[in-house]
Amino acid sequence: MTKDTRSAVIPTDRYTRFVSAGLGKDLAARLGLPQPAILRRYTPDAPLITGPVLVLGSSAGADELAARLLDWNVDVRRHGAPKLKLGAIILVLDELSHPDELSVPVRSVGSSLRDLAPNARVVTISRPAAPELEPAAAAARRAVDGILRSIAKELRNGATANGIVLDDGAGTTAPSVLGALRFFLSGRSAFVDGQFLSVSSERGELPEDWASPLAGKVAVVTGAARGIGAAIARTLSRDGADVVVVDVPAAGDHLASVANEVRGTALQLDITAADAAERILAHAAQRHGRLDIVVHNAGITRDKLLANMDASRWDAVIAVNISAQLRMNQAFLSSDLFTNHPRIVSVASTSGIAGNRGQTNYAASKAGVIGMVTATARLMEPFGGSINAVAPGFIETEMTAKIPFATREVARRLNSLQQGGKPEDVAETVAFLAAGSAGGVNGNVLRVCGQNLVGQ
Ligand code: NAI
């Protein structure tokens, strides 16, 4: 087995612990209550996936991918076998031209679903339903959306389903396809479910060591004194990066302890300051000699129904959550320090996709982040760089701990995995997007929401 992931058993919340065993488990089953699984999360030095991987699909791309997976010491099968407990099913649909072609491969997935081990993975690999295609081909390709998202909703026991879309004629074994596949198979993607990732070119390079894909890189993380930002700093550091942690002076003590923990450096600043990016660049140059990765994580909420929204709430949220990022990116992109395959990852929110009552300001800012990421993608290309967004759903942090109990309990169960995510889940996704193997992933928005059932 290759070094990558191990089944790390980290219970999510008290209810999940209660219904995971004994009386609680029986009770929940009898009353039809949600029975969230304890998710498999990443720990180094562990198998990528436990159990055989079934590669379905009859194209040359499917054969090539199956052969390539052998390099990862994965037990690859091309046909299901009764009673075989599968770690994953990979469905390769890279040559679809008509919906009639779906019946055989998709039903093959169906007949193996009951054989999936707990925390297993289903991954589809397909091509985009571009408008210039023949209608039948576009229909077949678009059908994969409905199939994958429905499978994700049918899976149980912590299993997830996600899709890779081969853009720009990318082959099934392009470096970034392999990088994305590895992310989806591993425990790193524990809370990513029902999502598609577009991989657009042959760009991207595989790391020498999958356990330290960010070795030699320097990363800056804003809002890193606590919560998701602190988790991102820890994960980037674990993956080999030198990390600069940034937060407001009022959070200086917490910031210093995160910096110590990750053996990085701390920079106290308010990201809304006009010279914030210049100060980050100067700090990175002086203390680390380079800057490769910027993670825009700092964010605030100032919730109010729009009817009661005052200018200070609106303006503060827009200033921190989007205007600061726009100004900083402009400075980063005109600096010589940030030209060698630079990476930007912005933390958006599912509120920016589906909207949320009482959050017009926050949803505007986070939807704005998505718009900014989409339009900045082409500006990263001349440097061989990329920019992507992660959109977390309900994540267990100090911010969400303040939500009243009943509202919180409903919010955290309303997804296919029936639980809230952890800051580490967002951090793993950020680290994946920051790595060399994600070089062909540019302008994407990847939700980390357990396939949240609300909204779009
Ligand atoms: P948090 O409130 O625990 O941490 C945010 C950090 O950003 C704090 O340390 C704060 O001091 C810092 N910060 C705020 N304004 C700043 C400024 N002007 N300059 C520098 N630093 C500043 O929040 P949490 O939950 O860790 O969220 C992190 C990001 O994830 C935010 O962008 C948030 O909108 C987003 N998010 C969080 C979700 C959740 O469920 N917790 C869901 C979706 C998105």
Side-chain angles (χ1 to χ4, degrees), residues 86-112:
L86 294 170
I89 302 172
I90 300 171
L91 175 61
V92 184
L93 296 169
D94 61 331
E95 288 183 359
L96 287 177
S97 59
H98 194 284
D100 290 350
E101 295 157 13
L102 291 164
S103 173
V104 171
V106 175
R107 287 183 305 102
S108 305
V109 174
S111 57
S112 293

Side-chain angles (χ1 to χ4, degrees), residues 223 226 228 247-248 270-271 297 299 347-348 362 366 392-393 395 397 400:
R226 65 179 206 182
I228 294 172
D247 212 300
V248 290
D270 184 330
I271 57 160
N297 162 78
V347 180
Y362 183 74
K366 294 299 187 177
I395 305 296
T397 64
T400 50

